[in-house]
Amino acid sequence: MIEQFNRDGTLRHLITLANLNRTQLNALLDHAETYLVGHAHYAPREPRLLGRTVALLFFEPSTRTRVSFHLAATRLSADVVTLDGDASSRVKGETLLDTVRTLEAMHTDVFVVRTAEAGIPALLAGHIGRGKALINAGEAHCEHPTQGLLDVLTIRQHKPDIRNLCVAIVGDIRHSRVARSAAQALGILDVGELRLVGPEPLLPDTNEFDGAVRYAELEPGLRDADVIMALRIQRERMRKEAGIPSNDAYFKRFGLTAERLKAARGDVIVMHPGPINREVEISSAVADGPHSVIGRQVTNGVAVRMAVLARIAEGLSGTP
Amino acid sequence: MIEQFNRDGTLRHLITLANLNRTQLNALLDHAETYLVGHAHYAPREPRLLGRTVALLFFEPSTRTRVSFHLAATRLSADVVTLDGDASSRVKGETLLDTVRTLEAMHTDVFVVRTAEAGIPALLAGHIGRGKALINAGEAHCEHPTQGLLDVLTIRQHKPDIRNLCVAIVGDIRHSRVARSAAQALGILDVGELRLVGPEPLLPDTNEFDGAVRYAELEPGLRDADVIMALRIQRERMRKEAGIPSNDAYFKRFGLTAERLKAARGDVIVMHPGPINREVEISSAVADGPHSVIGRQVTNGVAVRMAVLARIAEGLSGTP
Amino acid sequence: MIEQFNRDGTLRHLITLANLNRTQLNALLDHAETYLVGHAHYAPREPRLLGRTVALLFFEPSTRTRVSFHLAATRLSADVVTLDGDASSRVKGETLLDTVRTLEAMHTDVFVVRTAEAGIPALLAGHIGRGKALINAGEAHCEHPTQGLLDVLTIRQHKPDIRNLCVAIVGDIRHSRVARSAAQALGILDVGELRLVGPEPLLPDTNEFDGAVRYAELEPGLRDADVIMALRIQRERMRKEAGIPSNDAYFKRFGLTAERLKAARGDVIVMHPGPINREVEISSAVADGPHSVIGRQVTNGVAVRMAVLARIAEGLSGTP
């Protein structure tokens, strides 16, 4: 297991939320709040990463997370280089580890890594030198720590008393890094009740998501929920693993509609990590309606990534 | 119809040139001139967009327009993010509108959009919030307003008395957003005479290009012209819609050669939006010759885009 | 032949190292050293290219060289635009020369060009205007001058007495621009002995690499060497042109192993331009072992490119 904190308590890497304590997690969320001014704007640019180089290594396609990290790093005044998945070094078959070693030799300070293979972020973090940092930007079905942070920040902003909340995650929980990181963060904050709602074959193994309650039907899963997090589904997986033949069939069973939302609390908030499949996971009326906080999640995403980068900046070696 | 100006008269969006008046158009051209120092250099960088984020959404391939906007935004000190047409969010099937909503939630201030589909820029502009702006960077066959601006700026620099000019546009006018935006701009400036020259099937419908004179043969179309604008042709369309079997055949009928230029005024200027097909629309002797102002058009393009961005900056909301 | 120096002795272009003298070469290496602070960090950012535009035209895939130039230009405060090989203007068939002309009209100051075709960098340099510069970032099998510079800088750092060194280059010398540029630089610095080691069909013609000694077997080629430079091999070429059927077969004959290194000097340094094919050109034990200076080459690469850009900045025209 990679040690995520330096001896002096500063953040070194962010690979997983699993071993953060409540104080550490809340400190990151509090720091993120300082970048948000009145919900409508970000605070002015900070020079914390001036002269530092942040490399975005996205070995899996992503727009929103890549752009979110890009803007977060830029707003902290970093230099940013981007390597995409099908980018040139991979054409020549260079290994991931050698790519990271090369970028490190060019004095990259922070590596932001997204990968479809489990274990890669920790593996890479274990090989980079002292005074350098790595942030997991999404790893297979396992981890997506900055997504977990932005999700609990969004929940905290709307419903600060997390110990008394009922949160329902809806969709393909089994293959979802978003669900895992959210569940970790909610667990650290002692969430009142966590529900996992989805087709039976797409619920996780019972040794995972400790303490969560499982529902194979939507309506009972939503009853009196304070927070509903819809997950993005993959059509092929839905068909092959859950036997749900079409997007319409999924929407009929698990799609969030205004009608179904009535089972939840009157002030329920509805979340989605995006990009949303309209009329599949969620109706447009709900996605764009008064309960939706999907836009806030995106805004919080940049702030959370700025906070993680800012914290990590404290432990970087050398002068920038 | 999207309102392009704020109530206080500042520019909000630039979707089309169609409803600008002469004062507004000339003000943009005058502003662009301030970024040009003695034809050879741009004025020093301005901080007008410092802390602002400009997103380049190019859902159709383009080098020159994308790089031109990128440099314009950078020289006004903006942060720039780029999303290409085959980029990752499209891979996942996200709608254009949701992409824009997401970037807006990350506090993008200005969207620069190029698209092969008509109506998209206005549609997106209608959905983005107050204090945000959208610039049309090329829309189907309909609009390319910054191209129209750079074209009339180039003409004005060489031949300021536009009311007495004869301008001939040569090529596939029917499918050309460049021709439409140039015609709009020239119309606003009361051009003396506008000629549309091209193969009959590629001339526009008669309810378009009000007041323009049509020519299905090159020579009479060029006679005594002050300005000739060649358009880029697409070989397949030329073959299928105009029955012109090859590039050579097109060059024989409509290619601009030094010989044919003799029909025009002695001080005629020759323009092309680029990229040029040498020995198809234009001979190299003409493209690189004394009448060509093609390089000036490119230089003016950055200045015009800086002017549009600078004007729009005045109406952006919040502190940067 | 393109003149690489201005009349006042400042560097204008860097197309080849071939016609540099020892003073000029050492001045570039000395300048590069100023960007390296204690092997571990780069010196703080310099404003030498503030307001200047550097265009990276990579018409052949490359990660490390592109990122290296990008960081070098950024650390000198330049604006950087990137055009990749399959980028949009090529989609539309624009010629390379027209792309360069367009970027020049947008006031690009420095062109960094990588191309698989020989002669392109000199051709383009011959067409760009006064006060603009071009740097060759890799040209067919012919030239890779900044690689040559970083290679001799790395050698000089470890073994300053180059006149008394024996340097062995191992691999497909015939098709290697890395070997050619290194040999040029070493020749200028009067290297003691240069050996070319590789399969017979992949050794260069005898009218090239003047004064070098050729070895078709590895062990005698390495004997008492001070410096070993392994080259990256291409499997298909190895198979077709050298009759070596597999990576394993190549490794057996020419792979650098700890065992084979014993033939060389005890303090031999091992170099590779990267990306490395582990267990093909070089064993992991050697690549990551005490003799390897591969990481230093990468670090030096950024410093050398900063030095070249900084020297070129002195001759750029206009105010930035």
Side-chain angles (χ1 to χ4, degrees):
Chain A
M1 172 72 88
I2 296 293
E3 185 52 71
Q4 299 198 115
F5 289 86
N6 294 307
R7 288 192 181 175
D8 62 359
T10 53
L11 186 64
R12 177 158 184 216
H13 302 300
L14 185 64
I15 314 293
T16 177
L17 298 177
N19 57 4
L20 267 62
N21 62 36
R22 197 175 342 165
T23 307
Q24 291 165 332
L25 184 63
N26 273 318
L28 281 170
L29 303 186
D30 294 344
H31 193 138
E33 287 283 6
T34 68
Y35 295 119
L36 297 166
V37 180
H39 304 191
H41 269 275
Y42 295 112
R45 175 181 295 240
E46 281 191 2
R48 287 188 194 237
L49 289 174
L50 193 67
R52 299 293 191 180
T53 298
V54 174
L56 307 182
L57 308 183
F58 276 67
F59 300 111
E60 201 189 47
S62 160
T63 295
R64 61 181 58 214
T65 306
R66 180 175 57 76
V67 172
S68 184
F69 269 110
H70 190 121
L71 287 174
T74 301
R75 286 169 183 165
L76 294 171
S77 312
D79 296 332
V80 181
V81 292
T82 303
L83 272 77
D84 282 335
D86 50 352
S88 37
S89 80
R90 305 289 287 172
V91 169
K92 292 191 180 175
E94 189 174 28
T95 68
L96 261 180
L97 191 53
D98 278 336
T99 299
V100 166
R101 279 189 182 113
T102 298
L103 288 167
E104 193 181 353
M106 292 180 190
H107 296 169
T108 292
D109 295 288
V110 183
F111 298 88
V112 177
V113 178
R114 168 170 289 212
T115 164
E117 282 172 84
I120 296 290
L123 174 80
L124 297 177
H127 279 84
I128 62 178
R130 291 184 56 238
K132 310 279 183 186
L134 187 142
I135 300 171
N136 185 346
E139 173 193 0
H141 61 284
C142 319
E143 305 272 0
H144 196 352
T146 56
Q147 178 74 37
L149 288 173
L150 75 89
D151 284 337
V152 292
L153 178 61
T154 307
I155 294 172
R156 204 181 76 162
Q157 286 167 344
H158 291 86
K159 300 175 178 278
D161 186 15
I162 293 180
R163 292 173 190 233
N164 286 310
L165 293 188
C166 170
V167 178
I169 307 181
V170 179
D172 177 4
I173 320 279
R174 172 176 280 274
H175 302 95
S176 174
R177 57 192 173 208
V178 173
R180 280 179 181 76
S181 286
Q184 286 169 8
L186 288 166
I188 292 164
L189 298 177
D190 268 340
V191 68
E193 182 182 347
L194 180 63
R195 297 179 183 168
L196 309 178
V197 186
E200 189 81 49
L202 298 177
L203 291 174
D205 290 342
T206 48
N207 64 341
E208 278 201 289
F209 290 87
D210 192 32
V213 193
R214 286 138 208 272
Y215 292 83
E217 296 298 329
L218 184 62
E219 277 81 357
L222 299 189
R223 198 158 301 143
D224 295 321
D226 299 286
V227 176
I228 302 170
M229 298 180 57
L231 301 176
R232 185 174 173 80
I233 68 147
Q234 283 190 20
R235 194 177 168 169
E236 269 313 276
R237 191 176 280 151
M238 209 50 59
R239 197 174 58 76
K240 284 193 183 149
E241 300 189 24
I244 298 177
S246 69
N247 285 344
D248 280 356
Y250 182 82
F251 187 64
K252 233 170 248 170
R253 279 187 58 194
F254 292 99
L256 297 180
T257 60
E259 184 58 31
R260 277 163 169 166
L261 238 54
K262 289 180 186 162
R265 296 252 176 199
D267 62 349
V268 66
I269 59 171
V270 176
M271 304 169 70
H272 191 295
I276 59 176
N277 292 307
R278 288 166 179 271
E279 319 305 333
V280 181
E281 302 114 25
I282 193 166
S283 73
S284 277
V286 172
D288 305 330
H291 297 280
S292 170
V293 295
I294 296 174
R296 278 297 287 281
Q297 287 176 277
V298 175
T299 302
N300 288 335
V302 178
V304 152
R305 283 155 190 140
M306 289 176 77
V308 171
L309 285 165
R311 283 299 172 102
I312 275 175
E314 298 166 14
L316 296 177
S317 67
T319 48
Chain B
M1 172 73 87
I2 296 293
E3 184 52 70
Q4 298 198 116
F5 288 86
N6 294 307
R7 288 194 182 173
D8 62 359
T10 54
L11 187 63
R12 176 156 185 217
H13 303 299
L14 186 63
I15 314 292
T16 176
L17 298 177
N19 55 6
L20 267 63
N21 62 37
R22 196 174 343 164
T23 308
Q24 290 165 332
L25 183 64
N26 273 318
L28 281 170
L29 303 186
D30 293 345
H31 194 140
E33 287 284 6
T34 68
Y35 296 119
L36 297 166
V37 180
H39 304 193
H41 269 275
Y42 295 112
R45 175 182 295 239
E46 281 191 3
R48 287 188 193 237
L49 287 174
L50 194 65
R52 298 293 189 181
T53 298
V54 174
L56 307 182
L57 309 183
F58 275 67
F59 300 111
E60 201 189 49
S62 161
T63 295
R64 63 180 58 213
T65 306
R66 180 175 58 76
V67 172
S68 184
F69 269 109
H70 190 121
L71 288 174
T74 302
R75 286 168 184 166
L76 294 171
S77 312
D79 297 332
V80 181
V81 293
T82 303
L83 271 78
D84 281 336
D86 50 351
S88 37
S89 80
R90 305 288 289 171
V91 169
K92 292 190 179 175
E94 189 174 28
T95 68
L96 262 180
L97 190 53
D98 279 336
T99 300
V100 165
R101 280 189 182 114
T102 298
L103 289 166
E104 192 181 354
M106 292 179 189
H107 297 168
T108 292
D109 296 289
V110 183
F111 297 87
V112 177
V113 178
R114 168 170 288 212
T115 165
E117 281 172 85
I120 297 289
L123 173 80
L124 298 177
H127 278 83
I128 62 178
R130 292 183 56 236
K132 311 281 182 184
L134 187 143
I135 300 171
N136 186 345
E139 172 192 1
H141 60 284
C142 319
E143 305 272 0
H144 195 351
T146 56
Q147 178 74 38
L149 289 172
L150 76 88
D151 284 337
V152 291
L153 178 61
T154 307
I155 293 173
R156 204 182 76 162
Q157 286 167 344
H158 292 86
K159 298 175 180 279
D161 186 14
I162 293 181
R163 293 173 188 231
N164 286 312
L165 293 187
C166 169
V167 178
I169 308 180
V170 179
D172 177 3
I173 320 278
R174 173 176 280 275
H175 303 94
S176 173
R177 56 192 175 210
V178 173
R180 280 179 182 77
S181 286
Q184 286 168 9
L186 288 166
I188 292 164
L189 298 177
D190 270 339
V191 69
E193 182 182 350
L194 179 62
R195 297 177 184 171
L196 309 178
V197 186
E200 187 83 49
L202 299 176
L203 291 174
D205 290 341
T206 47
N207 62 342
E208 278 200 290
F209 291 87
D210 192 32
V213 192
R214 287 136 209 273
Y215 293 82
E217 296 298 329
L218 186 62
E219 279 80 358
L222 300 188
R223 197 157 302 144
D224 295 320
D226 299 285
V227 176
I228 302 170
M229 299 178 58
L231 302 176
R232 184 173 174 82
I233 67 146
Q234 282 190 22
R235 193 176 169 172
E236 271 312 277
R237 189 175 281 151
M238 209 49 60
R239 196 174 58 75
K240 284 192 185 150
E241 301 190 23
I244 298 177
S246 68
N247 285 344
D248 280 357
Y250 182 82
F251 187 64
K252 230 168 250 173
R253 280 188 57 194
F254 292 98
L256 297 180
T257 61
E259 185 58 32
R260 277 163 170 170
L261 238 53
K262 289 179 186 163
R265 297 250 175 199
D267 62 349
V268 67
I269 58 170
V270 176
M271 305 169 70
H272 191 294
I276 60 177
N277 292 306
R278 286 165 180 273
E279 318 307 331
V280 182
E281 301 114 25
I282 193 166
S283 73
S284 277
V286 172
D288 306 330
H291 296 281
S292 171
V293 295
I294 297 174
R296 277 299 286 283
Q297 287 175 277
V298 174
T299 302
N300 288 335
V302 177
V304 153
R305 283 152 191 142
M306 289 176 77
V308 171
L309 284 165
R311 281 302 171 101
I312 275 175
E314 297 166 16
L316 296 176
S317 67
T319 48
Chain C
M1 172 74 88
I2 295 295
E3 185 53 70
Q4 300 198 115
F5 289 86
N6 294 307
R7 290 195 180 173
D8 62 358
T10 53
L11 186 63
R12 176 156 185 217
H13 302 299
L14 185 63
I15 313 291
T16 177
L17 298 177
N19 56 5
L20 267 62
N21 63 35
R22 195 173 343 163
T23 308
Q24 290 165 332
L25 183 63
N26 272 320
L28 280 171
L29 303 185
D30 294 344
H31 193 138
E33 288 283 7
T34 68
Y35 296 119
L36 298 167
V37 180
H39 303 193
H41 270 275
Y42 295 112
R45 176 181 295 238
E46 281 191 1
R48 287 188 193 237
L49 288 174
L50 194 65
R52 297 293 190 182
T53 298
V54 175
L56 308 182
L57 308 184
F58 276 66
F59 301 111
E60 201 189 47
S62 159
T63 295
R64 64 180 57 215
T65 306
R66 181 175 57 77
V67 172
S68 184
F69 269 109
H70 190 122
L71 288 174
T74 301
R75 285 167 184 166
L76 294 172
S77 312
D79 296 331
V80 181
V81 292
T82 302
L83 272 77
D84 282 336
D86 50 352
S88 36
S89 81
R90 305 290 287 172
V91 168
K92 292 192 181 173
E94 189 174 28
T95 68
L96 262 180
L97 190 52
D98 278 335
T99 300
V100 165
R101 279 189 182 116
T102 298
L103 288 166
E104 192 181 356
M106 292 179 191
H107 297 169
T108 291
D109 296 288
V110 183
F111 297 88
V112 177
V113 178
R114 168 169 289 211
T115 164
E117 281 173 85
I120 296 290
L123 173 79
L124 298 178
H127 277 83
I128 62 178
R130 292 185 56 238
K132 310 280 181 184
L134 187 143
I135 301 172
N136 186 346
E139 175 192 358
H141 62 283
C142 320
E143 307 273 359
H144 195 352
T146 56
Q147 179 75 37
L149 289 172
L150 76 88
D151 284 336
V152 292
L153 178 60
T154 308
I155 293 172
R156 204 181 77 161
Q157 286 167 345
H158 291 88
K159 300 176 178 277
D161 186 14
I162 292 180
R163 292 173 190 235
N164 287 311
L165 293 188
C166 169
V167 178
I169 307 181
V170 180
D172 176 5
I173 320 278
R174 172 176 279 274
H175 302 94
S176 174
R177 57 192 174 208
V178 173
R180 279 179 182 77
S181 286
Q184 286 169 8
L186 288 166
I188 293 164
L189 298 177
D190 269 340
V191 69
E193 182 181 348
L194 179 63
R195 298 178 183 171
L196 309 178
V197 186
E200 189 81 49
L202 298 177
L203 291 174
D205 290 343
T206 48
N207 63 343
E208 278 200 289
F209 292 87
D210 191 33
V213 194
R214 287 139 208 271
Y215 292 84
E217 296 298 328
L218 185 62
E219 277 81 358
L222 299 189
R223 197 158 301 143
D224 295 321
D226 298 285
V227 176
I228 303 170
M229 297 178 59
L231 300 176
R232 183 173 175 80
I233 68 145
Q234 282 190 22
R235 194 177 169 171
E236 270 313 276
R237 189 176 281 151
M238 209 48 61
R239 196 173 58 76
K240 285 192 184 150
E241 300 189 24
I244 298 178
S246 68
N247 284 344
D248 280 359
Y250 182 82
F251 187 64
K252 231 169 249 170
R253 280 187 59 194
F254 291 99
L256 297 180
T257 61
E259 184 58 32
R260 278 163 169 168
L261 238 54
K262 290 180 185 160
R265 297 252 174 198
D267 63 349
V268 66
I269 59 170
V270 176
M271 303 169 71
H272 191 294
I276 59 176
N277 292 306
R278 288 166 179 273
E279 320 305 333
V280 181
E281 302 114 24
I282 193 167
S283 73
S284 277
V286 172
D288 306 329
H291 297 281
S292 170
V293 296
I294 297 174
R296 277 299 287 282
Q297 288 175 277
V298 175
T299 302
N300 287 336
V302 177
V304 152
R305 283 155 191 141
M306 289 175 78
V308 171
L309 284 165
R311 282 303 172 102
I312 276 175
E314 298 166 15
L316 296 178
S317 67
T319 47

